Amino acid sequence: MQIAEGVQLVTFAILSILLVGAALGVVLFANIVYSAFLLGGVFISMAGIYILLNADFVSAAQILVYVGAVNVLILFAIMLVNKREDFKPLKNGWIRQGSTAVVCAGLFALLSAVSIVTPWSISTVSPLASSVVPIAKHFFTDFLLPFELASILLLMSMVGAIILARRDFLPDNLGATSTQDSLTLPERPRELVGK
Amino acid sequence: MLQLQYFLILAAALFCIGIYGLITSRNAVRVLMSIELMLNAVNLNLMGFSNYIDPAEIKGQVFTIFVIAIAAAEAAVGLAIVLAIYRNRDTVDMEQFNLLKW
């Protein structure tokens, strides 16, 4: 790594503060649009931490896939289910939140203790200059089957998402209803399940 | 000098925040966002181990790329399911998605 160690430490501190603050904002903000944009902040600071870990290709992939695809997809989902509703407060809701917070704090303490106490066998090999060529070698030699399976999985999930999210159109009523209100899609009326 | 432990503790914090959001949030889209947080925490663990324990052949980064691909597929299908439930039930409240509950 060419960056000086003090600069690395300061950069790591700034990025980790940004990361934890944005993650807390994702969970705790009442407005879900703020949460979605803060989720983009989490992804971007995570890409910065990947650069600190000598992983240039994964950092670029993180920005492309997470910020460019997943975050935009979440924003579109928020716009599609854009219904302002006030959730009815649960009976004894504070018990659930409090116990969850206690369990999460305990889990964090446990994981931190394990990661501090365990003697990791740190390798002394100097890191690679570029990680692109070794990753490509892994993809086309020993990880070839999972690589191809991932493409099939992506195709399957794309077809599944289209099947799940499409609307049922009324083809015979299309001409009749399109004149009255051009902004609403004609949709087969259905009753709400279980209400 | 940056240690491996810093990255592991940061990943643990992110994972615990994700679990808290997963259990306590009422909005279904926010639940999916919490799952993304947890997947990112796991990715950070993999990248830390890849850099500090296995820097010669970086198999952890390969695993991270697979996790990113599967997370993208999961987000697409999960949001489609949320959209379908919203059309059927006219709400995104997790407490009212109780069709399969006795």
Side-chain angles (χ1 to χ4, degrees):
Chain A
M1 169 91 63
Q2 287 85 11
I3 311 175
E5 290 179 356
V7 179
Q8 282 188 46
L9 201 58
V10 172
T11 314
F12 177 77
I14 294 172
L15 283 175
S16 55
I17 288 171
L18 274 178
L19 185 71
V20 174
L24 282 174
V26 168
V27 173
L28 296 178
F29 259 117
N31 193 341
I32 195 161
V33 182
Y34 296 165
S35 298
F37 281 108
L38 280 175
L39 191 68
V42 170
F43 292 153
I44 289 174
S45 40
M46 187 68 86
I49 289 177
Y50 288 169
I51 289 179
L52 277 181
L53 285 169
N54 304 308
D56 44 1
F57 179 75
V58 183
S59 171
Q62 165 93 7
I63 289 198
L64 281 177
V65 175
Y66 271 115
V67 183
V70 173
N71 205 7
V72 172
L73 193 66
I74 286 175
L75 278 172
F76 268 99
I78 290 170
M79 284 189 269
L80 282 174
V81 295
N82 189 11
K83 183 183 182 189
R84 296 200 174 273
E85 57 181 326
D86 299 323
F87 299 126
K88 284 198 294 272
L90 291 175
K91 265 189 313 187
N92 298 327
W94 61 274
I95 293 180
R96 174 190 301 197
Q97 298 205 354
S99 57
T100 309
V102 168
V103 167
C104 285
L107 185 63
F108 174 64
L110 180 68
L111 288 173
S112 307
V114 166
S115 62
I116 288 172
V117 168
T118 308
W120 304 107
S121 60
I122 303 291
S123 169
T124 55
V125 182
S126 64
L128 303 163
S130 168
S131 64
V132 179
V133 176
I135 287 176
K137 279 180 184 164
H138 279 303
F139 271 158
F140 286 99
T141 53
D142 47 353
F143 287 99
L144 183 61
L145 181 65
F147 184 63
E148 301 294 338
L149 280 181
S151 64
I152 296 176
L153 176 85
L154 284 174
L155 179 67
M156 282 164 52
S157 72
M158 184 179 73
V159 174
I162 292 172
I163 295 287
L164 279 173
R166 70 170 180 174
R167 294 162 179 261
D168 290 330
F169 288 114
L170 293 173
D172 46 347
N173 281 352
L174 268 178
T177 54
S178 62
T179 54
Q180 58 176 2
D181 194 357
S182 61
L183 286 180
T184 59
L185 282 172
E187 194 172 358
R188 194 186 305 275
R190 59 173 145 192
E191 66 274 15
L192 299 176
V193 180
K195 293 201 82 172
Chain B
M1 184 60 188
L2 284 180
Q3 302 287 328
L4 173 62
Q5 283 86 356
Y6 299 167
F7 293 97
L8 295 185
I9 291 173
L10 184 62
L14 197 60
F15 191 79
C16 294
I17 292 172
I19 288 183
Y20 180 79
L22 183 73
I23 296 177
T24 58
S25 58
R26 304 281 298 272
N27 198 324
V29 182
R30 200 191 297 268
V31 171
L32 286 172
M33 292 201 262
S34 304
I35 293 175
E36 297 294 330
L37 285 184
M38 291 163 65
L39 283 167
N40 267 291
V42 174
N43 278 347
L44 185 55
N45 258 350
L46 285 173
M47 299 289 291
F49 285 130
S50 160
N51 188 39
Y52 282 94
I53 293 184
D54 183 26
E57 41 176 335
I58 37 179
K59 286 188 177 170
Q61 300 194 12
V62 180
F63 270 80
T64 304
I65 293 172
F66 283 128
V67 172
I68 287 176
I70 290 172
E74 174 264 341
V77 176
L79 290 171
I81 290 173
V82 168
L83 205 57
I85 295 176
Y86 173 70
R87 291 220 187 98
N88 275 323
R89 305 297 297 261
D90 198 28
T91 180
V92 285
D93 189 0
M94 291 297 286
E95 297 299 322
Q96 297 183 33
F97 297 163
N98 52 5
L99 273 179
L100 292 179
K101 186 177 162 190
W102 61 85

